[in-house]
Each structure stands twice: as structure tokens, then as C-alpha cells.
């Protein structure tokens, strides 16, 4: 999956000058979730109070505002803990490929088991190999709006295969559009504005090598 990651090239200097400038450059990557962006520490590059009017920014973001994955204020817990997610594996519906699984050796006589025993074996197998997406709220900082994003991660505290060796990894992602405070120019001559940027999020995990 090719995903669009956001990186800030910060602290670059123009020859003969001592003022840093900011540049936002999208960069393709297969690695999710997105790594934290290293921001320039100078608050001069932060949006001012008048730049953070919620009504204006909501209008600018338009239909891209998704309250299920973004928040303006500090949100509550987004997801169960890893232990709770692992415990919930057995409650998830069995996938079609697992429901049709034949128990027993690849060659030789078919293993005969009762329906109840077979169901328990398949449920145990699914609980062991199930890869949920764990969501947590992440603070992107004042230079993003909305500044809070609900980011997905794959449960990877233990192997998901028998024998062990495979782990839960992202296989699908969705893209959400945010506003990014972007400055160009130098010192008092710089120009800053909100620009739309795309932020990829893990939407599905699978047990794989």
C-alpha cells in the first residue's frame, strides 16, 4: 500500500542568512502509522489566536471534517487496551475461509469431530490469529487542524500464527484530510496560511510475515 506521509523539512538555512524557513513536502512511504513530525520550536511559526477561529476552519475543511477520526478539543479514550482487544478476538465473527476449514491432515482420512468441538477449535484458532485495529487519539500539535486524530495501530504484542513467527501488520489504509499551518518566506516577510494535507490511517490489519 502506497501511502502519503507528511514530513516537514525544518531548520533549513538560506546561504548567507540566519533565519530558518518551513517547507511541507509530502513523501510516499509504505510505513504506517505516520511517524511524528519534528516541528520547528520557534513559536513564531505557530498560528495566532485569530488564525484558529473554529467556524472559519470548519468552513475551509468542508466535507472533509470527520468527527469519527478527528477532534478539535481533547477527546476521551478511543479504543480498548491491547489486553482487552486480545480478549475480544474470540467474540469476532469467523471469516468465511475459516468456517470452511477442514480439520485434520492434508492427506489421509478426514478428522471427525462433533459440531460443538469443531466450533470451539475454530473459535480458538480465530482468537489466536485475529488482528484488530487498535485506535488511540494522537495530538498533532497546534500547526494541524483539527489537532487530534484517531490513529490506528495493529495489535503486535504477540505472534498471531501457529507456529509462531507471523505478526499483525497493516494491509489497508484510509486517507483523511486535515489543515496544516504552512509558512513560506523569511522572518517578517514570511507568509503563513492553512493548506489541506492528506494523512493516511491504518484501517485493516492482517496476520502476515
Amino acid at each position: 500500500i502506497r501511502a502519503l506521509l507528511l514530513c516537514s523539512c525544518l531548520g533549513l538555512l538560506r546561504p548567507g542568512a540566519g533565519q530558518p524557513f518551513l517547507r511541507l513536502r509530502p513523501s510516499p512511504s509504505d510505513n504506517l502509522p505516520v511517524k511524528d513530525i519534528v516541528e520547528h520550536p520557534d513559536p513564531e511559526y505557530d498560528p495566532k489566536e485569530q488564525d484558529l477561529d473554529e467556524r472559519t476552519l470548519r468552513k475551509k475543511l468542508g466535507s472533509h471534517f470527520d468527527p469519527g477520526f478527528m477532534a478539535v478539543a481533547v477527546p476521551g479514550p478511543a479504543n480498548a487496551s491491547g489486553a482487552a482487544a486480545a480478549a475480544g478476538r474470540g467474540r469476532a465473527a469467523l471469516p468465511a475461509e475459516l468456517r470452511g476449514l477442514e480439520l485434520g491432515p492434508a492427506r489421509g482420512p478426514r478428522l471427525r469431530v462433533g459440531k460443538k468441538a469443531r466450533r470451539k477449535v475454530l473459535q480458538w484458532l480465530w482468537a489466536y490469529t485475529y488482528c484488530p485495529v487498535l485506535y488511540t487519539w494522537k495530538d498533532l500539535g497546534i500547526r494541524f487542524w483539527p489537532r487530534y486524530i484517531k490513529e490506528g495501530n495493529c495489535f503486535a504484542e504477540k505472534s498471531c500464527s501457529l507456529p509462531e513467527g507471523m505478526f499483525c501488520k497493516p494491509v489497508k489504509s484510509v486517507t483523511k484530510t486535515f489543515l496544516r499551518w504552512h509558512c513560506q518566506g523569511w522572518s517578517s516577510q514570511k507568509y503563513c496560511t492553512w493548506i489541506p494535507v492528506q494523512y493516511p490511517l491504518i484501517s485493516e490489519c492482517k496476520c502476515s510475515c
Side-chain angles (χ1 to χ4, degrees):
I1 303 171
R2 304 297 294 178
L4 194 64
L5 300 191
L6 306 174
C7 6
S8 288
C9 298
L10 307 173
L12 299 179
L13 299 179
R14 184 178 63 181
Q19 293 294 331
F21 68 93
L22 305 182
R23 184 158 57 97
L24 186 71
R25 183 178 63 188
S27 175
S29 174
D30 292 319
N31 298 318
L32 288 178
V34 177
K35 294 182 179 179
D36 292 342
I37 295 175
V38 180
E39 298 278 17
H40 194 289
D42 190 346
E44 184 66 25
Y45 294 98
D46 292 345
K48 306 299 185 288
E49 185 177 351
Q50 63 268 23
D51 301 312
L52 294 169
D53 180 70
E54 183 175 341
R55 179 178 295 183
T56 301
L57 294 177
R58 276 184 179 267
K59 184 176 180 181
K60 188 175 183 67
L61 192 57
S63 61
H64 293 297
F65 185 86
D66 185 349
F69 284 90
M70 52 187 71
V72 178
V74 181
N79 197 233
S81 65
R89 289 179 171 192
R91 295 191 294 270
L94 291 174
E97 60 268 24
L98 196 57
R99 289 198 299 270
L101 182 67
E102 293 290 343
L103 300 179
R107 296 180 181 180
R110 179 180 175 183
L111 181 65
R112 293 189 176 184
V113 295
K115 288 185 178 180
K116 187 175 182 180
R118 184 178 187 276
R119 183 171 63 250
K120 286 187 175 181
V121 170
L122 293 181
Q123 286 176 339
W124 175 85
L125 186 60
W126 178 225
Y128 198 92
T129 59
Y130 176 52
C131 289
V133 179
L134 303 180
Y135 287 101
T136 55
W137 285 103
K138 180 178 180 179
D139 185 357
L140 296 176
I142 197 173
R143 295 173 189 173
F144 280 87
W145 196 92
R147 67 180 290 170
Y148 298 96
I149 184 170
K150 191 167 74 172
E151 190 172 61
N153 287 272
C154 296
F155 182 80
E157 294 180 8
K158 60 185 290 294
S159 175
C160 56
S161 65
L162 291 173
E164 294 187 355
M166 299 172 69
F167 292 88
C168 295
K169 296 183 179 181
V171 292
K172 289 185 181 180
S173 65
V174 295
T175 300
K176 299 297 178 180
T177 300
F178 285 72
L179 297 178
R180 166 70 166 167
W181 186 248
H182 179 46
C183 295
Q184 290 181 313
W186 300 86
S187 189
S188 59
Q189 282 77 45
K190 73 179 182 300
Y191 170 74
C192 300
T193 189
W194 291 104
I195 62 172
V197 293
Q198 292 184 323
Y199 197 106
L201 299 168
I202 295 171
S203 60
E204 184 179 335
C205 302
K206 191 173 183 179
C207 189
S208 61
C209 298

